[in-house]
Amino acid sequence: MRDKVVLITGANSGIGYEAALALAKMGARVVISGRSAQKLELALAQIRVESANDEVTALVADLGRVADVRALAQRVEAQHDRLDVLINNAGLFLTERRKSADGLEMTFAVNHLAPFALTQSLRGLLEATPGARVVNVSSMAHQQAKGLDFEDLQGERAFDGWAAYTRSKLANILFTRALARRLQGVTANCLHPGIIRSGFGADGDARGFFGALLKLGRPLMITPAKGARTTIYLASSPEVAEITGGYFANSKQKAPSKAAQDEAASERLWAESEQILREVEGAAISPAQP
């Protein structure tokens, strides 16, 4: 990985941090991204010290805002002439329905639309880099989703936090499969990292029964370092250099759920995502209406 450029979202803690640290130790030029400047700067300092690699940088971006996602891509393109690995790692779980700054349901916006928009924005740079890879962090929780409700993608009619999360993880796999069919000379794979003992859902986003379950189950969960292994494997191993469109767990390719193998659903999700982005960005530049 020496001198290869890697961008990791949500890398100030958890498996994103561990993946960034491991890849930096391999000699990669790692760019970490997160929404908290303070947490990101702390993570940056720790990674540089522990990896003995000064070629680690940080970019602040709120993935709940499409404009921030686009700006992140522009800054990466301005600073680097190649992108060997894009790791879409950032994600959240919300018990209650919240709206993003763009008026979108937050789970959908951060877990699916942000990786979609970021990858789309960086596609040219990725395809210009020989052997580039896209790695999307999904979850075995996708198996709980029987499919996507395309008439209510953002839970406006009915919202359940766990259902929204499982559908977003299903969307990660559907997006990966559609992406793999489109990319030229770039592989795209996704993964289940394991059930991780990290800060995920522990900052007040997960409340009620699910929040209590997370706290009680934390001692039984694996460490972020172990949870990052499959991400690191997909980002760096020559064994998967030619594999694309796959779903992995414990660094082995697995079959995802039947719903995750629905090609028609993956194509519809792609089209719907493009339309939502057009609407959000069109609204941002349209003149105010009387």
Side-chain angles (χ1 to χ4, degrees):
M1 297 298 292
R2 186 158 301 281
D3 295 326
K4 291 189 176 182
V5 178
V6 180
L7 170 61
I8 309 179
T9 64
N12 57 273
S13 63
I15 61 174
Y17 172 89
E18 296 293 344
L21 175 60
L23 293 168
K25 286 180 177 179
M26 294 179 193
R29 296 159 62 194
V30 180
V31 182
I32 61 173
S33 174
R35 62 181 177 177
S36 168
Q38 184 177 6
K39 291 179 180 179
L40 205 57
E41 287 301 317
L42 179 60
L44 176 63
Q46 291 174 331
I47 292 170
R48 283 179 171 176
V49 169
E50 292 186 44
S51 66
N53 182 348
D54 289 332
E55 294 295 315
V56 183
T57 56
L59 293 173
V60 178
D62 179 356
L63 298 187
R65 302 174 63 97
V66 173
D68 266 32
V69 175
R70 298 295 197 195
L72 173 60
Q74 290 171 357
R75 283 179 284 170
V76 171
E77 289 180 322
Q79 295 173 13
H80 301 278
D81 60 2
R82 62 185 296 129
L83 181 59
D84 297 270
V85 185
L86 168 60
I87 301 176
N88 289 306
N89 167 77
L92 54 72
F93 171 86
L94 297 174
T95 306
E96 300 166 354
R97 190 179 191 275
R98 298 184 199 171
K99 284 187 178 182
S100 71
D102 298 316
L104 305 175
E105 191 277 308
M106 189 68 83
T107 305
F108 177 85
V110 173
N111 291 8
H112 166 65
L113 199 64
F116 180 89
L118 184 59
T119 307
Q120 182 189 67
S121 299
L122 291 169
R123 180 173 174 178
L125 190 57
L126 286 161
E127 291 186 331
T129 306
R133 308 180 184 193
V134 177
V135 179
N136 295 323
V137 178
S138 180
S139 169
M140 67 181 295
H142 82 275
Q143 298 170 348
Q144 300 299 311
K146 303 306 179 185
L148 300 180
D149 182 355
F150 286 104
E151 304 307 316
D152 192 27
L153 275 176
Q154 299 182 55
E156 294 176 287
R157 292 203 297 259
F159 182 82
D160 174 89
W162 177 243
Y165 178 74
T166 61
R167 288 171 182 165
S168 74
K169 296 294 100 180
L170 171 60
N172 292 155
I173 302 177
L174 292 172
F175 163 54
T176 301
R177 293 168 71 90
L179 181 65
R181 293 193 289 271
R182 288 167 167 79
L183 290 174
Q184 300 295 316
V186 181
T187 62
N189 292 293
C190 57
L191 67 116
H192 165 61
I195 303 175
I196 313 300
R197 188 188 313 132
S198 70
F200 180 77
D203 55 0
D205 291 339
R207 302 174 184 173
F209 175 76
F210 191 82
L213 193 62
L214 273 178
K215 290 180 182 179
L216 289 172
R218 193 158 279 121
L220 304 177
M221 300 175 184
I222 65 174
T223 65
K226 289 183 178 179
R229 288 175 181 171
T230 305
T231 298
I232 298 162
Y233 174 75
L234 289 176
S236 63
S237 175
E239 294 178 0
V240 291
E242 304 299 325
I243 298 175
T244 192
Y247 170 73
F248 288 75
N250 294 320
S251 300
K252 297 184 184 299
Q253 190 166 2
K254 309 284 186 180
S257 70
K258 184 177 180 180
Q261 299 178 54
D262 186 337
E263 289 192 12
S266 71
E267 291 301 316
R268 183 170 181 184
L269 177 62
W270 188 283
E272 295 281 353
S273 301
E274 286 188 326
Q275 178 60 31
I276 292 169
L277 286 175
R278 282 193 293 268
E279 292 172 357
V280 167
E281 295 176 298
I285 61 175
S286 296
Q289 297 299 314

